[in-house]
Amino acid sequence: MPSTSNASNWQQREEEAVKKLIESLPQWTGPLDDDAPLPRGTKTRTGVLPESGLTYYWRKNDEPRDRVELVIAVRAGSIDETDDERGLAHVLEHLAFRARTDADGTRWSALRELEAHGVSFGAHQNAYTSFEETVFFLHVPADFFGRALELLAALVGEAAKVDASDVDAERKIVLEEWRQGKDWAQRSTESHFRHTFEGTTLAARLPIGNLEVVRTARPETIRGFYERHYTADALAVIVVGAVPDAVQVDQLDRAFAPY
């Protein structure tokens, strides 16, 4: 067993390292009120696309080399669901990957084209739903950036263009996710959230939702949620990686304007 003196030395070194880290961080000099905007790095370009109306965040970054991270963040999550929609923000996230493309009118064509360029599902293309947001992201080769941007737009833009067979197929996957997630860690997490947020809407809005709602969801209900929340003022496109310093506004607009 380590001696008491060794443990004490290790703790001291850790405390010194944490102190140096904190001292190296930039100091907040802005106002402290709740509505104060968070500071943004000077290398990040942001604005609103003139045609499609989406907010964009653009930043050139050299590492990892020749790669670009593309993200669509939707300001809508489980907290935005009605009682009859509990779980449908998450179902909608799943349905997005069944999107068609103009070149291929079949289901999953956007996903297949991404995978054909090495953008594998799970590792390089994925999504998540939380209480307050739904986020779709791609990690792509820099020379595939333009087309990947169009495919990401298709995932989000085509998300609610589904029929009953699409919903039936995807609900089975969501229900299986729920079943597999019922281990002790997940049960503990859910209990923690319900206890912490007791008396608030959050306590009844875990992203996995209500099983009966998921089992009986209809396409028109999902489309209703989509049409209310997947609006231009609630969407942001984020581009980070091996891209030019100057924002390619026209390229971003062309990708998202059709939707």
Side-chain angles (χ1 to χ4, degrees):
M1 294 180 63
S3 67
T4 303
S5 61
N6 286 340
S8 177
N9 289 338
W10 177 86
Q11 184 177 11
Q12 184 178 357
R13 290 196 302 271
E14 182 182 44
E15 289 174 352
E16 290 174 353
V18 171
K19 182 179 179 181
K20 288 181 180 179
L21 174 62
I22 293 173
E23 289 174 349
S24 70
L25 297 174
Q27 297 298 307
W28 172 250
T29 58
L32 297 178
D33 61 277
D34 292 341
D35 295 326
L38 293 173
R40 185 181 299 121
T42 57
K43 294 181 179 179
T44 302
R45 313 280 191 262
T46 186
V48 176
L49 298 175
E51 189 70 25
S52 58
L54 273 69
T55 300
Y56 67 81
Y57 298 87
W58 179 285
R59 179 164 181 159
K60 177 179 172 59
N61 190 66
D62 295 330
E63 294 293 338
R65 291 182 59 186
D66 302 324
R67 305 293 292 185
V68 179
E69 192 83 9
L70 301 176
V71 177
I72 281 285
V74 186
R75 194 170 57 240
S78 57
I79 192 65
D80 299 291
E81 298 164 344
T82 65
D83 287 346
D84 294 335
E85 295 172 336
R86 285 175 293 169
L88 298 192
H90 181 216
V91 172
L92 181 56
E93 171 219 311
H94 276 249
L95 288 167
F97 288 94
R98 304 174 76 88
R100 300 177 173 91
T101 62
D102 291 337
D104 180 349
T106 62
R107 282 283 173 227
W108 306 104
S109 55
L111 185 149
R112 288 196 302 270
E113 186 174 346
L114 287 165
E115 290 195 322
H117 286 81
V119 186
S120 57
F121 186 74
H124 304 126
Q125 53 169 310
N126 216 322
Y128 69 82
T129 303
S130 70
F131 289 108
E132 297 177 327
E133 64 182 3
T134 305
V135 177
F136 303 85
F137 53 90
L138 306 177
H139 187 66
V140 304
D143 59 4
F144 185 54
F145 160 66
R147 180 56 179 160
L149 187 65
E150 295 172 353
L151 293 172
L152 179 61
L155 291 182
V156 178
E158 297 277 342
K161 295 180 181 178
V162 295
D163 56 28
S165 64
D166 294 314
V167 176
D168 286 341
E170 214 58 46
R171 87 168 90 240
K172 294 175 184 176
I173 298 172
V174 173
L175 291 171
E176 181 61 17
E177 276 189 6
W178 175 87
R179 189 189 69 78
Q180 291 184 2
K182 282 299 177 183
D183 57 11
W184 69 267
Q186 182 63 26
R187 292 197 303 272
S188 176
T189 299
E190 291 180 3
S191 295
H192 167 75
F193 275 121
R194 291 192 177 101
H195 175 74
T196 302
F197 299 122
E198 186 177 3
T200 73
T201 305
L202 283 172
R205 288 295 185 275
L206 293 174
I208 196 65
N210 177 279
L211 293 187
E212 189 59 27
V213 171
V214 174
R215 288 192 182 107
T216 59
R218 298 170 62 85
E220 53 267 32
T221 309
I222 295 170
R223 280 194 292 270
F225 181 87
Y226 178 91
E227 289 168 0
R228 290 202 318 276
H229 296 292
Y230 279 58
T231 56
D233 61 341
L235 270 68
V237 54
I238 302 157
V239 180
V240 180
V243 292
D245 279 317
V247 182
Q248 307 297 297
V249 172
D250 290 344
Q251 187 175 28
L252 293 173
D253 239 349
R254 283 197 304 272
F256 290 96
Y259 306 104

